[in-house]
Amino acid sequence: MAAGTRLANLAVKFRLLSISPCTYNGVRCASLAAQRRPETREQVCQPAPPPLLHITRTASFFNKLPAEQLWKGVVSVSNAGKKKGRGKGVGKRVAKNLNKGQVIGIGSENIVWPGLNAPVVRGRELVQRHTLPKDEEREAKLIKLRDSLGKFRRLKIDPLDRGWSGTKMGGRSVGPPDPIGEDTFEDFDTRVLEFKIVTCMTAVFGRKRRYSMFVVTGNGNGLAGFALAKASTVPAVMRKAKNLAAQKLLYIPRYNEHTVLHDFYSQFGATKLFVSQKPEGYGLVCHRAIKTVCQAVGIKDLHAKVEGSTNVQNLIKAFFLGLLQQKSHQQLADEKHLHLVEFREENLNFPQVVASPEMAPVRTKEEIPKTEELNVSRYVMDGRVRLVKKRYPPGYVQLPSYQYHLKKYASYRNKSQVQIDMLVHEGEYRSFLTDQYPECRPPMKKENVRALSDM
């Protein structure tokens, strides 16, 4: 109980002292100490601690730095961020300087202020403040000056030189390679396939930044080459890459100067490439990098399917490997000791011999084993088959209305083709009742008459 009473008394003492701190004098302190504990008189009579001071700063970077540096700190990127590739578009757009044309002391009211926009003493006369006639065109002049100096002009590129995506370097033309002595590269064009910024860490210079460019050059007539170059500036890497590609030219054979010799499969790294030969007018249905290479080589019709990685460098290397490993028709005929026969839809799949063996006689049917592959596409692709996505029939096929539609138009399915054949062979539309009822013969159209006359 004594301990509890002592603690309660101390609590009351602290509460009384906190309520009336001004009673820190000798008389009052003594009376309080006599009532509680005499031995704590010295502790009670100690002076009060000084009040706490809050230190405040009257200046910060907001009022120490000018507005230009503050704005730059908000919109710019740090040096560490630039090394990581951030803020590539910062600084391209020029902001309007609203202080352009502003002169201290000259405002909308045209007033002469001595010592501000005019001298205090002119000769022996003291200049007095006075108002001049108001300039009505001042605002218009300021707006015109700001628009002329602060306007952002986007870089304009010819539509034929824009490449794959606007102003990016991919697909753009960088011109023919530089001549080497008396050898000039006429009719050559160089296209950028890949352009990027690469860095490496060195002991002396730290993180070293360079530009990497992967290009292909060709004359569109079978000659083409590709190269990878690095340099510290963009003009240097462009010149280095296209000149290096010109030193590695390869001749690519083509079928009828428009497509590949045959279907082929090629692989480089994790990139697998299936290339198919196509007839004239089909076009280039392939990856945009392969399309650019085909334009440099002179290939106009081709279909290419990429499986796996689409890394541009691996893709181009796989494509060139496949082009260089092509076999001519004569080589295929000599390997198999058989005739190479072509079937084309435009020739109604009529068989046409394009090559015959020269090194050995043609094998007979009994000499050919049943397990031997005779399809040229499967033979050159070593049995590999391109992955084709399964196409499912549309949902309306199962509806009764679609079945009714098929039955209704079954007799008209080949009507257009039958009419063309009848015009070719008979010269008119005929039926088994045409001779019996000649008055029901349909009239000939003008375009059909013109077509028959041309034949």
Side-chain angles (χ1 to χ4, degrees):
M1 293 297 291
T5 305
R6 190 180 299 119
L7 289 175
N9 294 336
L10 288 175
V12 172
K13 182 198 304 180
F14 291 140
R15 186 162 59 249
L16 291 173
L17 291 177
S18 62
I19 293 173
S20 56
C22 59
T23 59
Y24 277 92
N25 51 68
V27 179
R28 186 64 181 275
C29 289
S31 62
L32 289 173
Q35 294 176 10
R36 301 294 179 249
R37 291 187 60 185
E39 64 271 14
T40 59
R41 185 178 301 171
E42 295 180 359
Q43 299 177 1
V44 174
C45 295
Q46 290 180 356
L52 294 178
L53 299 178
H54 296 282
I55 302 174
T56 59
R57 294 184 179 181
T58 58
S60 68
F61 68 93
F62 286 109
N63 50 23
K64 278 186 176 181
L65 299 178
E68 184 178 355
Q69 295 186 15
L70 288 176
W71 183 250
K72 184 178 179 181
V74 173
V75 300
S76 63
V77 183
S78 63
N79 292 332
K82 288 181 181 179
K83 292 178 181 179
K84 295 180 180 179
R86 298 173 185 162
K88 294 181 180 179
V90 174
K92 292 184 179 180
R93 184 176 294 275
V94 181
K96 288 186 179 181
N97 185 6
L98 299 181
N99 294 324
K100 215 67 174 173
Q102 298 282 6
V103 180
I104 296 178
I106 299 178
S108 57
E109 298 294 335
N110 200 0
I111 301 176
V112 176
W113 293 91
L116 190 60
N117 58 2
V120 178
V121 178
R122 186 179 290 116
R124 294 184 178 182
E125 182 183 357
L126 186 65
V127 179
Q128 300 294 332
R129 182 177 64 87
H130 60 279
T131 305
L132 297 177
K134 190 174 182 180
D135 188 4
E136 302 292 341
E137 299 181 356
R138 178 180 176 276
E139 293 295 334
K141 291 178 182 178
L142 284 177
I143 294 174
K144 184 178 180 181
L145 179 63
R146 292 169 185 170
D147 291 344
S148 62
L149 296 179
K151 179 177 267 187
F152 172 73
R153 295 183 180 179
R154 191 176 296 277
L155 181 64
K156 291 186 178 181
I157 302 176
D158 188 82
L160 299 178
D161 298 332
R162 283 179 185 167
W164 298 334
S165 56
T167 58
K168 298 295 182 66
M169 286 295 293
R172 285 184 56 183
S173 173
V174 293
D178 299 334
I180 304 175
E182 298 180 356
D183 298 331
T184 59
F185 295 91
E186 297 181 359
D187 300 330
F188 274 77
D189 188 23
T190 306
R191 295 280 175 173
V192 179
L193 299 176
E194 189 179 41
F195 178 76
K196 58 185 179 180
I197 300 175
V198 295
T199 58
C200 63
M201 186 65 72
T202 61
V204 179
F205 301 103
R207 184 179 281 105
K208 192 176 180 182
R209 177 177 173 176
R210 294 190 297 171
Y211 297 94
S212 173
M213 185 174 287
F214 188 62
V215 302
V216 60
T217 184
N219 63 349
N221 197 21
L223 278 179
F226 65 94
L228 174 67
K230 298 178 182 179
S232 57
T233 61
V234 177
V237 73
M238 288 170 55
R239 182 180 65 254
K240 187 177 179 180
K242 64 182 181 181
N243 292 341
L244 191 59
Q247 300 175 15
K248 302 179 180 181
L249 293 179
L250 303 170
Y251 179 73
I252 307 300
R254 296 168 296 162
Y255 178 70
N256 290 344
E257 306 299 327
H258 76 95
T259 186
V260 293
L261 297 180
H262 53 76
D263 300 351
F264 64 82
Y265 165 83
S266 182
Q267 181 175 356
F268 190 91
T271 302
K272 300 177 182 179
L273 190 62
F274 294 86
V275 178
S276 303
Q277 183 192 57
K278 293 298 177 180
E280 282 190 78
Y282 183 83
L284 297 172
V285 182
C286 53
H287 192 277
R288 60 186 184 182
I290 297 179
K291 183 177 181 180
T292 304
V293 173
C294 290
Q295 292 172 352
V297 173
I299 297 175
K300 303 174 184 177
D301 306 291
L302 174 134
H303 181 277
K305 169 68 175 177
V306 183
E307 292 184 5
S309 173
T310 55
N311 181 278
V312 175
Q313 297 187 24
N314 290 357
L315 191 62
I316 300 305
K317 292 174 183 178
F319 186 57
F320 268 92
L321 280 176
L323 291 176
L324 294 175
Q325 292 174 358
Q326 290 184 106
K327 298 179 181 179
S328 64
H329 295 163
Q330 189 61 46
Q331 290 176 345
L332 292 173
D334 292 337
E335 284 182 7
K336 301 288 287 185
H337 302 300
L338 295 171
H339 295 291
L340 186 63
V341 184
E342 182 183 45
F343 298 88
R344 300 179 67 91
E345 292 185 2
E346 53 265 32
N347 296 335
L348 300 179
N349 291 325
F350 185 80
Q352 181 180 1
V353 178
V354 295
S356 298
E358 296 179 351
M359 303 299 179
V362 180
R363 291 185 295 172
T364 61
K365 188 175 182 180
E366 291 75 15
E367 296 175 351
I368 302 174
K370 295 182 179 180
T371 58
E372 184 175 353
E373 184 61 64
L374 299 180
N375 190 334
V376 177
S377 297
R378 296 181 183 175
Y379 174 71
V380 295
M381 298 184 73
D382 198 14
R384 295 181 178 86
V385 179
R386 178 172 63 90
L387 179 63
V388 180
K389 187 176 180 180
K390 183 178 179 180
R391 292 188 176 182
Y392 294 94
Y396 59 80
V397 174
Q398 306 297 333
L399 298 177
S401 57
Y402 184 74
Q403 303 299 328
Y404 174 75
H405 165 77
L406 293 180
K407 293 178 182 178
K408 182 177 179 181
Y409 290 95
S411 58
Y412 299 100
R413 282 183 298 178
N414 299 326
K415 184 177 180 180
S416 58
Q417 187 63 36
V418 171
Q419 290 177 349
I420 293 174
D421 294 341
M422 191 176 296
L423 287 175
V424 172
H425 298 290
E426 303 292 339
E428 60 176 354
Y429 295 142
R430 294 182 59 85
S431 69
F432 60 95
L433 297 175
T434 301
D435 296 334
Q436 185 177 357
Y437 303 99
E439 65 275 6
C440 296
R441 180 181 284 113
M444 290 286 291
K445 295 183 179 180
K446 295 182 180 179
E447 54 269 17
N448 296 336
V449 176
R450 191 180 303 109
L452 291 175
S453 62
D454 294 340
M455 295 176 60

